[in-house]
Amino acid sequence: MSDINQMPREEGIDHSLSLMREGYMYILNRRHSFNSGIFETRLLGKKAICIGGNGAAEVFYDTEKFKRKNAAPNRAAQTLFGKKGVQALDGQNHKHRKEMFMSIMSPDKLKKLTDITKKQWELAVDKWEQMDKVILYEEAQEIMCRIACQWAGVPVQENEVKRLTKDLGAMFESVAKVGPNHWLGRNARNHVEKWVGEIIDKVRDGKVNPPENSALHRFVWHRDLEGNLLDTETAAVEVINILRPIVAIAIFINFTALALHHFSEERKKLESHDEKYAQMFVQEVRRFYPFFPFVVALVKKDFTWNGYKFEEGTLTLLDLYGTNHDPEIWENPDLFSPDRFAKWKGSPFGFIPQGGGDYFMGHRCAGEWVTIEVMKVSLDYLANQMEYEVPNQDLSYSLVSMPSIPHSKVVLKNVKRKL
Ligand code: HEM
């Protein structure tokens, strides 16, 4: 008798359109209907396996079983990641490049980041007090862009900030878009790669001197395993791998404001300036709201997991959103409840808004601590340092369009500093 299980299969030629139509819910919907944490489908004309849940994340992050080279669709490389960056590396090359990223995530550098973040929020509140209305998503992107450049040591002129903010935003807003909105992202990437590339060349020529140990400095002088400097294009892709995602924190800041608005009882708990509660609140925002729906990899070599056969080369999607809403991991997953993190023991595979597993050995987000620190400062400003009104507007958000952003982008009026 064979001990290989038949994987539930979605019949049909291709389901890429369903994926676009159902967005964050595509995998979860089928996990429910098949009553299975795993199923087979066809995406972009190829067989694909979708998995979700704790055990699924654990196997997905086993680097003996999965690889990243050539896994991401071209549209993601052309907008979100760029080419030859850390996301598509495997094995020793990945480990070495990832160390370069993790070397700038030390406690002293994170402290510097929170100081910069506080200063930028101070300036923003001063500015917003003079404004009739504030579109939080757009303003937060600009604040984040300023923080990102300053922290990474990337010199940016005042008259370049707005364009750079828009370009970095377009890179992550355009991945799942079609037509002109997708091309906006491609053009933005080409433009920013050229701009950062020129800065890198100037650093190497001694014409620009970024602070030692800043991301720009580290990445410009990083040597690969053969002892060579990264070529300009690759170094630019990696510097952008710092700038772009810091701007993307604006999405979580928007959802933070939304949570404060919808769950106003939470505000009271935050007023005590309890650092632990702020951390729990931020974690719940990252768990509850949609951001990246899934991550992709290719099966490295044939293996069997839970009786299911994974064949070499098969595209595999790990459900991030669904795992963060998995009732087997989370009690009442669709309830916004920061308190759930009070006794949370931490899990590298059950809570995966920014990927899972080990930071150094696998592809887990290099910027998770950065995200949490920046969100905590931002939460303190939104909850404790300023007053504002939230006028009538469409605060709903989609579970289809990726990335999801509240439709009104969160408009604030009558912003005043709290005395
Ligand atoms: C805005 C919130 C963020 C979200 C939702 C997010 C999410 C993710 C996800 C899902 C991955 C892929 C994990 C995988 O492939 O298994 C990732 C990778 C990565 N993220 Fe983030 N991220 C965020 C912020 C940041 C920040 C602020 C930085 C840098 C300062 C950053 C840098 C990176 C890098 C370099 C990788 C590639 C890691 C690797 O391939 O080894 N991210 N992120």
Side-chain angles (χ1 to χ4, degrees):
M1 208 175 82
S2 157
D3 53 3
I4 296 292
N5 293 333
Q6 182 64 47
M7 205 179 281
R9 182 186 301 148
E10 188 175 29
E11 297 300 336
I13 297 168
D14 196 84
H15 300 284
S16 309
L17 265 179
S18 310
L19 176 64
M20 297 296 260
R21 275 198 214 110
E22 293 174 51
Y24 293 91
M25 297 303 290
Y26 172 79
I27 301 180
L28 209 50
N29 285 342
R30 281 150 191 79
R31 282 173 62 199
H32 286 153
S33 61
F34 288 125
N35 192 20
S36 164
I38 183 167
F39 66 91
E40 186 187 313
T41 184
R42 290 190 67 81
L43 297 170
L44 300 173
K46 286 188 213 145
K47 171 177 149 178
I49 295 175
C50 298
I51 52 177
N54 219 327
E58 193 168 352
V59 75
F60 184 88
Y61 281 101
D62 181 341
T63 51
E64 292 299 311
K65 295 193 167 63
F66 288 97
K67 60 180 184 174
R68 299 303 181 99
K69 191 170 181 222
N70 298 329
N74 189 38
R75 58 171 36 242
Q78 300 275 13
T79 52
L80 191 64
F81 306 140
K83 293 191 177 132
K84 298 197 278 180
V86 64
Q87 288 93 342
L89 299 179
D90 292 300
Q92 287 306 316
N93 287 334
H94 172 262
K95 187 168 173 278
H96 186 68
R97 187 78 65 81
K98 191 67 173 284
E99 275 165 12
M100 174 186 88
F101 278 93
M102 298 316 291
S103 75
I104 57 159
M105 304 298 170
S106 59
D108 59 317
K109 297 206 180 60
L110 292 176
K111 165 79 175 69
K112 189 164 180 224
L113 175 71
T114 52
D115 291 345
I116 296 172
T117 307
K118 280 181 196 158
K119 281 207 186 93
Q120 286 302 331
W121 269 97
E122 284 294 316
L123 293 172
V125 177
D126 285 347
K127 177 181 149 198
W128 296 353
E129 281 187 316
Q130 314 302 320
M131 286 166 64
D132 179 40
K133 67 170 189 182
V134 169
I135 301 172
L136 183 63
Y137 180 58
E138 289 171 6
E139 292 288 323
Q141 280 201 337
E142 189 176 317
I143 301 176
M144 294 302 123
C145 181
R146 291 176 188 278
I147 294 168
C149 290
Q150 201 180 331
W151 187 62
V154 174
V156 56
Q157 305 300 316
E158 187 54 36
N159 63 4
E160 293 171 319
V161 172
K162 284 213 182 319
R163 165 92 198 254
L164 182 62
T165 303
K166 274 217 160 335
D167 280 346
L168 292 167
M171 288 183 201
F172 57 80
E173 288 163 359
S174 62
V175 190
K177 299 275 187 305
V178 287
N181 287 334
H182 177 69
W183 281 94
L184 270 180
R186 290 191 180 215
N187 292 338
R189 170 157 289 282
N190 292 340
H191 181 248
V192 181
E193 277 187 14
K194 185 166 175 288
W195 181 77
V196 174
E198 282 165 10
I199 295 174
I200 287 166
D201 288 342
K202 283 185 193 154
V203 176
R204 288 182 175 157
D205 291 346
K207 292 180 188 143
V208 166
N209 292 302
E212 205 146 310
N213 293 334
S214 61
L216 180 61
H217 187 272
R218 281 276 165 95
F219 294 8
V220 161
W221 300 116
H222 173 81
R223 291 190 181 268
D224 65 17
L225 287 170
E226 279 79 49
N228 299 318
L229 294 175
L230 299 177
D231 61 69
T232 304
E233 194 194 337
T234 306
V237 163
E238 300 299 36
V239 170
I240 296 169
N241 264 335
I242 297 293
L243 304 183
R244 182 201 68 253
I246 293 183
V247 172
I249 300 175
I251 295 184
F252 275 148
I253 292 175
N254 241 29
F255 283 129
T256 301
L258 198 65
L260 288 170
H261 182 65
H262 282 156
F263 312 107
S264 48
E265 68 286 357
E266 296 294 334
R267 264 181 190 275
K268 293 248 162 327
K269 302 184 198 164
L270 289 160
E271 274 167 14
S272 62
H273 297 270
D274 176 352
E275 168 95 11
K276 183 159 185 245
Y277 198 76
Q279 171 93 11
M280 285 154 54
F281 189 95
V282 158
Q283 296 293 55
E284 183 65 345
V285 169
R286 295 194 312 126
R287 185 198 69 83
F288 184 79
Y289 292 102
F291 204 135
F292 278 100
F294 50 76
V295 279
V296 297
L298 297 176
V299 176
K300 198 168 166 182
K301 52 181 184 235
D302 290 4
F303 69 90
T304 304
W305 174 69
N306 283 355
Y308 297 111
K309 204 164 175 220
F310 285 69
E311 281 168 357
E312 185 175 338
T314 309
L315 179 68
T316 305
L317 286 72
L318 171 68
D319 187 9
L320 300 182
Y321 180 77
T323 302
N324 292 335
H325 289 257
D326 189 330
E328 287 189 14
I329 306 172
W330 306 98
E331 207 180 314
N332 296 324
D334 297 325
L335 220 69
F336 183 86
S337 170
D339 282 311
R340 70 173 76 245
F341 282 98
K343 294 200 183 98
W344 185 64
K345 299 214 163 48
S347 150
F349 303 115
F351 177 46
I352 51 172
Q354 299 181 219
D358 182 74
Y359 293 100
F360 288 85
M361 301 306 290
H363 285 269
R364 185 179 190 136
C365 175
E368 199 161 11
W369 305 326
V370 165
T371 309
I372 293 171
E373 292 312 314
V374 169
M375 282 178 75
K376 280 199 292 199
V377 174
S378 307
L379 172 65
D380 187 45
Y381 274 84
L382 287 167
N384 297 323
Q385 311 285 346
M386 53 194 259
E387 291 173 342
Y388 50 84
E389 289 160 25
V390 181
N392 266 345
Q393 58 191 288
D394 182 1
L395 287 169
S396 64
Y397 58 92
S398 160
L399 283 181
V400 171
S401 132
M402 301 176 284
S404 179
I405 300 159
H407 291 118
S408 65
K409 301 184 175 176
V410 184
V411 176
L412 311 179
K413 288 199 105 172
N414 291 327
V415 173
K416 288 194 184 61
R417 189 182 289 277
K418 259 192 203 166
L419 296 173

Short mmCIF file of all heavy atoms in Angstrom, two decimals, residues 356-381:
data_model
loop_
_atom_site.label_atom_id
_atom_site.label_comp_id
_atom_site.label_asym_id
_atom_site.label_seq_id
_atom_site.Cartn_x
_atom_site.Cartn_y
_atom_site.Cartn_z
N GLY A 356 9.00 33.91 7.89
CA GLY A 356 9.30 33.18 9.12
C GLY A 356 10.67 32.55 9.10
O GLY A 356 11.48 32.80 8.21
N GLY A 357 10.91 31.73 10.12
CA GLY A 357 12.19 31.02 10.20
C GLY A 357 13.28 31.89 10.80
O GLY A 357 13.01 32.77 11.62
N ASP A 358 14.50 31.65 10.37
CA ASP A 358 15.67 32.32 10.94
C ASP A 358 16.11 33.48 10.04
O ASP A 358 16.11 33.36 8.82
CB ASP A 358 16.80 31.27 11.06
CG ASP A 358 18.03 31.85 11.69
OD1 ASP A 358 18.01 32.06 12.91
OD2 ASP A 358 19.00 32.13 10.96
N TYR A 359 16.47 34.60 10.69
CA TYR A 359 16.87 35.78 9.90
C TYR A 359 18.13 35.53 9.09
O TYR A 359 18.24 35.96 7.95
CB TYR A 359 17.13 36.97 10.82
CG TYR A 359 15.90 37.47 11.51
CD1 TYR A 359 15.62 37.12 12.82
CD2 TYR A 359 14.98 38.27 10.83
CE1 TYR A 359 14.48 37.57 13.46
CE2 TYR A 359 13.82 38.72 11.46
CZ TYR A 359 13.58 38.36 12.77
OH TYR A 359 12.44 38.80 13.38
N PHE A 360 19.09 34.85 9.70
CA PHE A 360 20.40 34.73 9.07
C PHE A 360 20.45 33.60 8.04
O PHE A 360 21.05 33.75 7.00
CB PHE A 360 21.49 34.51 10.14
CG PHE A 360 21.75 35.74 10.95
CD1 PHE A 360 20.98 36.03 12.06
CD2 PHE A 360 22.76 36.62 10.58
CE1 PHE A 360 21.21 37.18 12.80
CE2 PHE A 360 22.99 37.78 11.31
CZ PHE A 360 22.21 38.05 12.43
N MET A 361 19.80 32.48 8.39
CA MET A 361 19.91 31.31 7.52
C MET A 361 18.88 31.33 6.40
O MET A 361 19.09 30.74 5.34
CB MET A 361 19.73 30.02 8.34
CG MET A 361 20.73 29.84 9.46
SD MET A 361 22.42 29.95 8.89
CE MET A 361 22.54 28.43 7.94
N GLY A 362 17.74 31.96 6.64
CA GLY A 362 16.66 31.92 5.65
C GLY A 362 16.30 33.30 5.14
O GLY A 362 17.04 34.27 5.34
N HIS A 363 15.13 33.38 4.50
CA HIS A 363 14.75 34.63 3.84
C HIS A 363 13.82 35.50 4.67
O HIS A 363 13.23 36.44 4.13
CB HIS A 363 14.10 34.31 2.48
CG HIS A 363 15.11 33.89 1.45
ND1 HIS A 363 15.72 34.78 0.60
CD2 HIS A 363 15.63 32.68 1.17
CE1 HIS A 363 16.56 34.13 -0.18
NE2 HIS A 363 16.53 32.85 0.14
N ARG A 364 13.69 35.20 5.96
CA ARG A 364 12.84 36.04 6.79
C ARG A 364 13.26 37.51 6.64
O ARG A 364 14.45 37.81 6.53
CB ARG A 364 12.98 35.61 8.25
CG ARG A 364 12.05 36.34 9.16
CD ARG A 364 12.19 35.89 10.58
NE ARG A 364 11.10 36.46 11.34
CZ ARG A 364 10.37 35.81 12.22
NH1 ARG A 364 10.64 34.55 12.48
NH2 ARG A 364 9.40 36.41 12.85
N CYS A 365 12.27 38.40 6.67
CA CYS A 365 12.52 39.83 6.45
C CYS A 365 13.66 40.35 7.33
O CYS A 365 13.62 40.22 8.56
CB CYS A 365 11.24 40.61 6.75
SG CYS A 365 11.46 42.37 6.66
N ALA A 366 14.62 41.00 6.67
CA ALA A 366 15.76 41.57 7.40
C ALA A 366 15.34 42.79 8.20
O ALA A 366 16.03 43.21 9.13
CB ALA A 366 16.85 41.96 6.40
N GLY A 367 14.20 43.37 7.84
CA GLY A 367 13.81 44.65 8.44
C GLY A 367 12.67 44.54 9.44
O GLY A 367 11.99 45.53 9.70
N GLU A 368 12.49 43.36 10.03
CA GLU A 368 11.35 43.20 10.95
C GLU A 368 11.53 44.07 12.20
O GLU A 368 10.60 44.71 12.66
CB GLU A 368 11.19 41.73 11.33
CG GLU A 368 9.82 41.43 11.87
CD GLU A 368 9.47 39.94 11.83
OE1 GLU A 368 10.36 39.11 11.59
OE2 GLU A 368 8.28 39.63 12.07
N TRP A 369 12.74 44.11 12.74
CA TRP A 369 12.96 44.93 13.95
C TRP A 369 12.82 46.41 13.61
O TRP A 369 12.26 47.19 14.38
CB TRP A 369 14.35 44.65 14.55
CG TRP A 369 14.58 43.19 14.84
CD1 TRP A 369 13.64 42.29 15.26
CD2 TRP A 369 15.80 42.46 14.70
NE1 TRP A 369 14.22 41.04 15.39
CE2 TRP A 369 15.52 41.11 15.07
CE3 TRP A 369 17.10 42.80 14.32
CZ2 TRP A 369 16.51 40.11 15.06
CZ3 TRP A 369 18.08 41.81 14.30
CH2 TRP A 369 17.78 40.48 14.67
N VAL A 370 13.33 46.79 12.43
CA VAL A 370 13.18 48.18 11.97
C VAL A 370 11.69 48.54 11.91
O VAL A 370 11.26 49.58 12.41
CB VAL A 370 13.81 48.35 10.56
CG1 VAL A 370 13.37 49.65 9.90
CG2 VAL A 370 15.33 48.28 10.63
N THR A 371 10.91 47.64 11.33
CA THR A 371 9.47 47.88 11.17
C THR A 371 8.82 48.09 12.54
O THR A 371 8.05 49.05 12.74
CB THR A 371 8.80 46.69 10.44
OG1 THR A 371 9.54 46.42 9.25
CG2 THR A 371 7.36 46.97 10.11
N ILE A 372 9.13 47.20 13.47
CA ILE A 372 8.50 47.27 14.79
C ILE A 372 8.89 48.57 15.50
O ILE A 372 8.04 49.26 16.08
CB ILE A 372 8.88 46.01 15.63
CG1 ILE A 372 8.25 44.77 15.00
CG2 ILE A 372 8.45 46.16 17.09
CD1 ILE A 372 8.72 43.44 15.58
N GLU A 373 10.17 48.93 15.45
CA GLU A 373 10.62 50.15 16.15
C GLU A 373 9.97 51.39 15.54
O GLU A 373 9.50 52.27 16.26
CB GLU A 373 12.15 50.26 16.12
CG GLU A 373 12.87 49.21 16.96
CD GLU A 373 12.31 49.05 18.37
OE1 GLU A 373 12.07 50.06 19.05
OE2 GLU A 373 12.05 47.90 18.79
N VAL A 374 9.96 51.47 14.22
CA VAL A 374 9.37 52.64 13.56
C VAL A 374 7.87 52.70 13.85
O VAL A 374 7.31 53.77 14.10
CB VAL A 374 9.66 52.60 12.03
CG1 VAL A 374 8.83 53.65 11.29
CG2 VAL A 374 11.14 52.82 11.77
N MET A 375 7.23 51.54 13.86
CA MET A 375 5.78 51.52 14.15
C MET A 375 5.50 51.96 15.58
O MET A 375 4.50 52.64 15.85
CB MET A 375 5.21 50.12 13.93
CG MET A 375 4.98 49.79 12.46
SD MET A 375 4.39 48.10 12.27
CE MET A 375 2.68 48.26 12.80
N LYS A 376 6.36 51.58 16.52
CA LYS A 376 6.12 51.95 17.93
C LYS A 376 6.20 53.47 18.10
O LYS A 376 5.37 54.07 18.78
CB LYS A 376 7.12 51.23 18.85
CG LYS A 376 6.70 49.80 19.13
CD LYS A 376 7.36 49.21 20.36
CE LYS A 376 8.83 49.00 20.17
NZ LYS A 376 9.46 48.09 21.08
N VAL A 377 7.20 54.08 17.48
CA VAL A 377 7.32 55.55 17.57
C VAL A 377 6.09 56.18 16.91
O VAL A 377 5.46 57.10 17.47
CB VAL A 377 8.61 56.06 16.88
CG1 VAL A 377 8.64 57.58 16.85
CG2 VAL A 377 9.85 55.50 17.57
N SER A 378 5.71 55.68 15.76
CA SER A 378 4.58 56.25 15.02
C SER A 378 3.29 56.10 15.82
O SER A 378 2.46 57.01 15.88
CB SER A 378 4.44 55.58 13.66
OG SER A 378 5.67 55.63 12.97
N LEU A 379 3.12 54.94 16.44
CA LEU A 379 1.94 54.70 17.28
C LEU A 379 1.89 55.71 18.43
O LEU A 379 0.83 56.28 18.72
CB LEU A 379 2.00 53.27 17.85
CG LEU A 379 0.95 52.91 18.91
CD1 LEU A 379 -0.45 52.95 18.31
CD2 LEU A 379 1.23 51.54 19.52
N ASP A 380 3.03 55.96 19.05
CA ASP A 380 3.05 56.91 20.17
C ASP A 380 2.60 58.29 19.70
O ASP A 380 1.83 58.97 20.38
CB ASP A 380 4.46 56.96 20.77
CG ASP A 380 4.48 57.81 22.04
OD1 ASP A 380 3.57 57.64 22.87
OD2 ASP A 380 5.37 58.67 22.18
N TYR A 381 3.05 58.71 18.51
CA TYR A 381 2.61 60.03 18.01
C TYR A 381 1.11 60.02 17.72
O TYR A 381 0.39 60.93 18.12
CB TYR A 381 3.44 60.44 16.77
CG TYR A 381 4.70 61.13 17.22
CD1 TYR A 381 5.82 60.40 17.58
CD2 TYR A 381 4.74 62.51 17.41
CE1 TYR A 381 6.96 61.01 18.08
CE2 TYR A 381 5.87 63.14 17.90
CZ TYR A 381 6.98 62.39 18.23
OH TYR A 381 8.09 63.01 18.74
#
